[in-house]
């Protein structure tokens, strides 16, 4: 299923067509990014969800990974390397509280959501892929101990250019 199929009931239709693609970045990093993530980025772009969750899209992923990736690799709570390091995890976003959101390659074509939870000083892992994790997290079905009580309707604000 596509990002629109899974997330429209939660986020509504994308406010506009996202700008940019991940093609050049994938070539530069020598990696095929997870299809769900690419689909989300192509559909929703770089966006903030309900003033709490920022998702990197085609315009911000490379600069965010360059800035935060080395910090996360030095953290005693993050169990691995971060892309563009070969075999690294994809750092795809953050919360306003400084939690860092990752996709971990499980080696079978599945990338699942994990997070460094800053206020908890620990590592969180799920067995859910990005779209299912977002759907469940934004409806309060999972991660309720460290994510906010969400509003009845979410707002999605595209990042400023």
């Amino acid at each position: 299923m596509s990002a629109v199929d899974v997330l429209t009931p939660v986020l509504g239709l994308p406010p506009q067509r996202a700008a940019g693609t991940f093609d050049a970045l994938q070539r530069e990093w020598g990696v095929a990014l997870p299809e769900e993530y690419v689909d989300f980025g192509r559909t929703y772009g770089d966006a903030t969800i309900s003033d709490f969750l920022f998702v990197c899209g085609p315009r911000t992923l490379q600069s965010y990974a360059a800035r935060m990736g080395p910090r996360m690799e030095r953290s005693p709570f993050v169990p691995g390397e971060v892309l563009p390091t070969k075999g690294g995890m994809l750092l795809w976003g953050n919360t306003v509280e400084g939690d860092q959101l990752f996709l971990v390659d499980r080696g079978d074509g599945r990338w699942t959501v994990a997070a460094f939870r800053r206020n908890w000083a620990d590592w969180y892992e799920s067995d859910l892929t990005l779209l299912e994790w977002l759907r469940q997290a934004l409806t309060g079905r999972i991660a309720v101990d460290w994510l906010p009580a969400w509003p009845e309707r979410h707002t999605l604000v595209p990042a400023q250019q």
Side-chain angles (χ1 to χ4, degrees):
M1 294 184 85
S2 73
V4 169
D5 295 333
V6 174
L7 296 176
T8 295
V10 178
L11 295 176
L13 289 172
Q16 62 186 10
R17 191 70 177 155
T21 69
F22 295 104
D23 296 344
L25 181 61
Q26 290 181 103
R27 281 191 302 276
E28 182 179 326
W29 285 2
V31 66
L33 296 174
E35 288 181 32
E36 282 189 349
Y37 174 75
V38 170
D39 180 40
F40 181 91
R42 189 175 40 243
T43 304
Y44 289 96
D46 305 78
T48 301
I49 300 170
S50 295
D51 296 322
F52 187 82
L53 184 72
F54 178 75
V55 180
C56 296
R59 290 188 304 109
T60 59
L61 178 61
Q62 186 170 22
S63 62
Y64 192 72
R67 187 175 69 251
M68 290 303 296
R71 289 182 189 177
M72 292 296 97
E73 287 179 342
R74 291 189 302 268
S75 169
F77 305 106
V78 176
E81 296 181 306
V82 178
L83 287 172
T85 301
K86 186 175 174 69
M89 300 177 288
L90 175 62
L91 180 57
W92 61 271
N94 64 282
T95 70
V96 296
E97 294 180 349
D99 306 308
Q100 301 299 310
L101 305 167
F102 296 84
L103 288 173
V104 179
D105 184 355
R106 298 301 178 188
D108 58 359
R110 290 183 72 238
W111 291 67
T112 60
V113 173
F116 163 63
R117 301 187 304 179
R118 187 179 69 89
N119 291 335
W120 295 55
D122 72 358
W123 182 251
Y124 161 90
E125 286 201 27
S126 80
D127 62 351
L128 300 173
T129 61
L130 177 66
L131 297 179
E132 186 59 23
W133 187 87
L134 282 170
R135 186 181 69 76
Q136 289 192 35
L138 295 173
T139 57
R141 293 174 62 195
I142 60 165
V144 294
D145 57 347
W146 61 282
L147 293 177
W150 296 105
E152 193 170 308
R153 278 193 69 80
H154 288 283
T155 57
L156 187 118
V157 178
Q160 298 298 315
Q161 293 194 23

